[in-house]
Amino acid sequence: MITVRPAAERGHFDHGWLDTYHTFSFASYHDPRHMGFRSLRVINEDRVRPAEGFGTHAHRDMEILTWVLEGALEHKDSMGNGSVIRPGDIQRMSAGTGVTHSEFNPSREELVHFLQIWLLSSERGLVPSYEEKRFPPEARRGGLCLIAARDGRDGAVTIHQDADVWTALLEPGETVRHPLELGRHAWLHVARGEVSVHGSTLRAGDGAAVSAEKALEISAPAPAEVLVFDLA
């Protein structure tokens, strides 16, 4: 069974400095029908204007992933980490017992377009931690590339949840297939472009919940970037 979550139905707020879309309920956007999917709690698609950003704020007991689509994002946190991430960099912050951080667009000219993703931690009260790895375009073209996993296998960042996160860059005519073990579920997010999934057409910002399927098959009639969440 596949249930499509259209991009146009997401929560949307334009704060001037921030243009943001919420796939699931977040902050002042509340929809009891869309509180998350399995352990996946947040997918926010954010565009931040040059020299603007999120000031220091706190989180706890969440696995927070940041995936940049365009531009660059500067990160600083209370653990002493500081870096600038760009497309192809996956950033993982396990908030655990509590962490504060800020995220800014360091450019004076270009906006930054990125996804902020939250998964519930499998345990409460973990020691906060941070990790960052790079996956160049050639590692993501034409096939699914693992970027986050509970066991950190194949060079992925390690998340404290029974979940795998995959991504792919697809050209027109390319198809990828992701098998789902019995009892597993998936969420597909189209970051850019257009894909066909089991007879449904999904475009940028669209999502889809997948349950009781043996596999997820994604075809690209146009250039596309997708993320696939394999969830317990």
Side-chain angles (χ1 to χ4, degrees):
M1 181 177 67
I2 298 178
T3 305
V4 175
R5 169 71 159 138
E9 295 181 7
R10 296 176 296 173
H12 177 230
F13 300 91
D14 189 344
H15 302 288
W17 65 274
L18 167 68
D19 189 9
T20 183
Y21 289 86
H22 306 321
T23 295
F24 305 117
S25 294
F26 184 85
S28 58
Y29 168 62
H30 179 77
D31 185 339
R33 299 168 302 168
H34 299 288
M35 298 299 297
F37 181 70
R38 314 301 295 181
S39 60
L40 181 59
R41 181 62 187 83
V42 168
I43 301 179
N44 289 348
E45 180 181 3
D46 293 341
R47 291 174 174 86
V48 176
R49 287 186 176 180
E52 298 281 2
F54 301 88
T56 302
H57 57 286
H59 297 291
R60 62 181 301 132
D61 292 321
M62 283 286 175
E63 302 296 302
I64 301 172
L65 301 173
T66 304
W67 184 250
V68 176
L69 300 172
E70 300 173 84
L73 189 68
E74 183 176 11
H75 169 92
K76 293 181 180 178
D77 64 44
S78 55
M79 295 177 282
N81 300 296
S83 65
V84 176
I85 60 171
R86 295 177 171 82
D89 295 331
I90 181 72
Q91 179 190 88
R92 184 270 300 170
M93 187 172 68
S94 297
T97 54
V99 66
T100 60
H101 74 126
S102 63
E103 308 287 342
F104 276 90
N105 181 353
S107 174
R108 296 286 174 179
E109 300 175 352
E110 299 177 341
L111 63 74
V112 58
H113 177 199
F114 64 98
L115 300 175
Q116 185 167 99
I117 298 154
W118 296 7
L119 294 108
L120 299 171
S121 295
S122 57
E123 301 176 55
R124 297 179 65 85
L126 295 169
V127 175
S129 60
Y130 177 91
E131 193 177 7
E132 180 184 317
K133 292 189 177 180
R134 178 158 185 77
F135 296 89
E138 55 267 26
R140 298 178 279 132
R141 286 194 184 109
L144 288 166
C145 174
L146 185 66
I147 57 174
R150 185 171 193 167
D151 56 5
R153 68 189 185 280
D154 299 331
V157 297
T158 302
I159 51 177
H160 301 92
Q161 181 52 261
D162 186 5
D164 291 339
V165 185
W166 305 76
T167 188
L169 295 172
L170 301 175
E171 292 299 321
E174 291 184 332
T175 297
V176 293
R177 184 179 188 272
H178 179 70
L180 289 169
E181 295 181 4
L182 185 64
R184 302 289 294 186
H185 307 260
W187 182 274
L188 169 67
H189 179 82
V190 182
R192 288 186 284 203
E194 178 182 323
V195 298
S196 176
V197 181
H198 300 225
S200 297
T201 297
L202 280 71
R203 297 179 176 86
D206 289 344
V210 182
S211 296
E213 296 282 346
K214 293 182 178 179
L216 179 62
E217 191 165 297
I218 306 164
S219 300
E225 179 173 0
V226 298
L227 284 87
V228 174
F229 301 83
D230 186 318
L231 306 161

